[in-house]
Amino acid sequence: DFAVAEIVGSVASEEGAYATILDASKRLVKNPGDAASWIPSRIQTYAAPASYTLHNLFLPPAFDWSKLNGEPVRFNCRDEGLQLLSDPVLVEDINFADIASEKGALKKQVTFIVDGGRIEQNAKQFREEFKKGGLPKEQFEQLSVTTANSVSGIALWPRLILDGTVDINSRHYPDGGHQKSHWQTVLSIMSAIPL
């Protein structure tokens, strides 16, 4: 009568949700086109450019970020060392009731608008993070501004929609703020040196 699936990763589809739900809709669920047949009924991934304290603190040659070999860095959703530079943008939207149709998954070009207010707030937060790390004042003051004005990569995290009115968010929705979650925020580092 309905399917319950917790096959959602820190990037919503990374644990194979799309293929698994598509198969279940064809073989297992009586009314796959009914959103009430799925718990959750929809999964999404949000993204935003982000700055990361350690990416700015440990620059090459002291640390070789290319050793990550394209693997993203994963963060606790409460980690204040990672700050967003823009409002989050929906980059993946999988509606389980529509999964068999072309409109079952969102595919679009994405644009991020960096927010000056966020950069100012991030500088204050980074200042506290670097200060806690024991850096001398003149170093953490400059590094907090540099970090707030840099891009380490694109941060990604999931959102689950249970029935159209109830949702589960790994980061605060809709602004992407920090909160407790068992899902991680995934950061794809764009280059060895922050941009």
Side-chain angles (χ1 to χ4, degrees), residues 32 122 133 145 181-182:
N122 291 352
V145 172
S181 174
H182 78 279

Side-chain angles (χ1 to χ4, degrees), residues 51 56 85 119 122-123 126 143-151 195:
S51 297
N56 284 268
L85 298 166
I119 290 174
N122 291 352
F126 288 140
L143 196 53
S144 64
V145 172
T146 301
T147 303
N149 284 280
S150 71
V151 178
L195 307 173

Side-chain angles (χ1 to χ4, degrees), residues 22-54:
L22 181 60
D23 179 61
S25 72
K26 292 176 183 174
R27 296 186 315 112
L28 303 174
V29 179
K30 289 179 186 175
N31 297 310
D34 180 2
S37 295
W38 304 99
I39 301 172
S41 65
R42 181 180 221 131
I43 59 174
Q44 300 175 326
T45 300
Y46 281 82
S51 297
Y52 174 35
T53 51
L54 296 183

Side-chain angles (χ1 to χ4, degrees), residues 118-179:
R118 278 185 184 261
I119 290 174
E120 286 180 36
Q121 188 61 37
N122 291 352
K124 291 176 188 173
Q125 187 58 48
F126 288 140
R127 189 174 299 113
E128 293 304 311
E129 290 294 308
F130 287 128
K131 188 176 177 180
K132 280 192 259 180
L135 293 176
K137 183 175 182 178
E138 60 279 354
Q139 189 177 2
F140 76 69
E141 289 289 346
Q142 178 57 43
L143 196 53
S144 64
V145 172
T146 301
T147 303
N149 284 280
S150 71
V151 178
S152 293
I154 303 297
L156 302 146
W157 62 92
R159 178 175 187 235
L160 284 71
I161 299 167
L162 299 182
D163 67 0
T165 60
V166 177
D167 57 352
I168 298 170
N169 299 288
S170 64
R171 295 183 72 96
H172 187 264
Y173 180 79
D175 64 2
H178 298 87
Q179 68 179 27

